[in-house]
Amino acid sequence: MIRILAITNDHHIRQLNKLEDLSGVAHLKWYWVDFCEPTGEEAKLLDDYFHFHPLAIEDCLLYLQRPKMDHYDDVHFFVLHAIHEQTLEASEVDLFVGPNFLVTYHQLQLQEVDRAWEKIIRKPHTEAHGSLHAAYTVMDELVDQYFPALQAIEDQLLELGGSDQGFRTDLSHVFEIRNKLLRLRKTIVPMRDLLYRILNTQRIEALKHYLHFFTDIYDHLLKLAEMVDSNRDMTSDLRDHYMSLNSNRMNTIMKTLTVITVIFMPLTFIAGIYGMNFSNMPELGWHAGYYIVLVFMVLLAAGMFAWFKLKGWFE
């Protein structure tokens, strides 16, 4: 599907259905063409109608590219990533920014692009005054969508870390959260680097008028990167606490088993002595010898148990 916004010099907005209709717009200032879930025939228009560089078109068609920026004469090509809030899967959004046009190309229907589109329509006098500002609007919506996904993960970590369950939970859940953070980091860090390159490039002449806008996006990405690193550290802490808890629990079990073993050692020793088959053992001839030995063994075991209990070995 292709949709077109045409903005005139007097800030009137016209929505068109075909690229050929652009030639009939009087006093055209700039236009935005959005390729949403394009068909093969529509994708060919990148070359047949716009004559974009073959390498840029190849990056659009070969899914999924790393966020980046390339310059082809007066056309600036950006590869951006959108994040699905639930699955955290990244999807590519490609931007072609020219002197008087913006072309967006994405294989999936994205709410972020739709919201940017609506912003341009609702505020033509303040928002729709240039293709570069429209590109900023798309980037800003994409980056803003990173926050809900990351904050949901942060809430899970805070819930785990703030209760005893967090220290008894299965490690697989902690590692699952850590993997989600790694997937987010694979998008956020390259996007941060891309915005840094945009702010410091000399190839985009109109950028000086929009530095504050792109700096705001860069600040958001810095905050997101810090949140990712902080949450990764929290998963490491949860993992260490879990392993420490298991280690302490194992030590407690081993200590209990050791105490029981020590209690039974003298009893085993006594049973071993009277289990020998020597004929000259005076105690074997005692009438009450069996009962005396049993009572002695019970008293010995009870005394050792009480002594270990007093020393706190069962705590």
Side-chain angles (χ1 to χ4, degrees):
M1 179 184 72
I2 297 179
R3 52 181 177 175
I4 306 167
L5 279 183
I7 295 87
T8 62
N9 290 324
D10 53 0
H11 303 294
H12 288 160
I13 293 180
R14 292 184 57 184
Q15 298 193 52
L16 310 176
N17 296 320
K18 296 185 297 182
L19 290 173
E20 292 77 9
D21 296 338
L22 284 171
S23 58
V25 178
H27 307 292
L28 178 65
K29 182 178 181 181
W30 69 277
Y31 60 92
W32 178 1
V33 179
D34 181 44
F35 289 80
C36 178
E37 299 178 309
T39 63
E41 291 298 321
E42 291 172 341
K44 290 181 180 179
L45 294 174
L46 295 175
D47 184 25
D48 298 340
Y49 184 87
F50 293 101
H51 307 296
F52 290 138
H53 197 281
L55 291 178
I57 297 176
E58 182 180 349
D59 287 338
C60 291
L61 302 179
L62 295 180
Y63 194 79
L64 170 78
Q65 300 294 317
R66 179 183 175 89
K68 66 174 185 175
M69 172 178 64
D70 290 323
H71 305 285
Y72 302 101
D73 297 327
D74 59 347
V75 176
H76 312 288
F77 176 66
F78 302 94
V79 175
L80 311 174
H81 280 183
I83 289 292
H84 191 281
E85 184 177 349
Q86 301 300 327
T87 64
L88 302 183
E89 294 294 330
S91 57
E92 184 176 326
V93 181
D94 302 301
L95 271 64
F96 296 87
V97 183
N100 64 336
F101 67 84
L102 169 67
V103 175
T104 53
Y105 186 96
H106 46 101
Q107 298 284 355
L108 302 175
Q109 179 79 31
L110 297 174
Q111 294 182 357
E112 298 90 324
V113 178
D114 293 339
R115 286 195 296 266
W117 186 273
E118 292 301 323
K119 278 186 176 181
I120 299 299
I121 294 176
R122 288 197 308 267
K123 299 180 181 180
H125 297 285
T126 58
E127 300 286 347
H129 55 274
S131 57
L132 191 57
H133 194 282
Y136 150 77
T137 305
V138 174
M139 292 183 190
D140 186 52
E141 290 293 337
L142 292 176
V143 173
D144 285 346
Q145 190 60 29
Y146 299 167
F147 280 100
L150 187 53
Q151 287 168 349
I153 294 176
E154 193 171 60
D155 291 342
Q156 294 179 38
L157 288 174
L158 291 175
E159 183 179 352
L160 289 175
S163 64
D164 293 338
Q165 179 187 2
F167 302 106
R168 295 196 298 267
T169 188
D170 192 349
L171 266 182
S172 62
H173 186 43
V174 176
F175 282 117
E176 179 184 352
I177 294 177
R178 189 174 179 85
N179 288 335
K180 290 181 180 179
L181 290 170
L182 288 174
R183 288 205 296 271
L184 281 175
R185 193 176 190 277
K186 287 177 63 177
T187 290
I188 291 173
V189 172
M191 285 288 289
R192 180 197 63 188
D193 296 340
L194 170 61
L195 264 294
Y196 180 81
R197 288 187 58 198
I198 292 175
L199 290 174
N200 290 275
T201 186
Q202 304 296 325
R203 299 288 300 274
I204 306 177
E205 296 181 0
L207 184 63
K208 58 184 179 181
H209 301 295
Y210 301 100
L211 279 178
H212 294 300
F213 296 99
F214 286 97
T215 300
D216 181 67
I217 300 178
Y218 181 64
D219 291 340
H220 289 171
L221 288 166
L222 286 178
K223 181 179 180 180
L224 286 164
E226 291 174 357
M227 290 174 64
V228 168
D229 292 339
S230 175
N231 290 330
R232 287 183 66 202
D233 291 340
M234 191 178 298
T235 59
S236 298
D237 291 341
L238 283 174
R239 179 193 58 195
D240 294 341
H241 282 308
Y242 178 85
M243 296 180 68
S244 176
L245 182 65
N246 276 353
S247 178
N248 290 336
R249 183 184 177 192
M250 184 62 66
N251 288 339
T252 301
I253 294 173
M254 293 302 298
K255 183 172 66 174
T256 302
L257 293 176
T258 301
V259 170
I260 295 173
T261 302
V262 171
I263 290 175
F264 276 91
M265 281 178 62
L267 307 183
T268 306
F269 175 72
I270 294 173
I273 290 178
Y274 288 101
M276 294 185 295
N277 295 321
F278 293 111
S279 59
N280 188 18
M281 296 183 68
E283 296 88 348
L284 297 179
W286 294 353
H287 181 72
Y290 172 73
Y291 301 102
I292 292 173
V293 172
L294 281 182
V295 170
F296 175 75
M297 292 172 68
V298 170
L299 292 176
L300 179 62
M304 293 184 68
F305 178 84
W307 187 78
F308 285 127
K309 187 73 174 179
L310 184 64
K311 291 294 185 180
W313 280 42
F314 285 98
E315 296 179 357

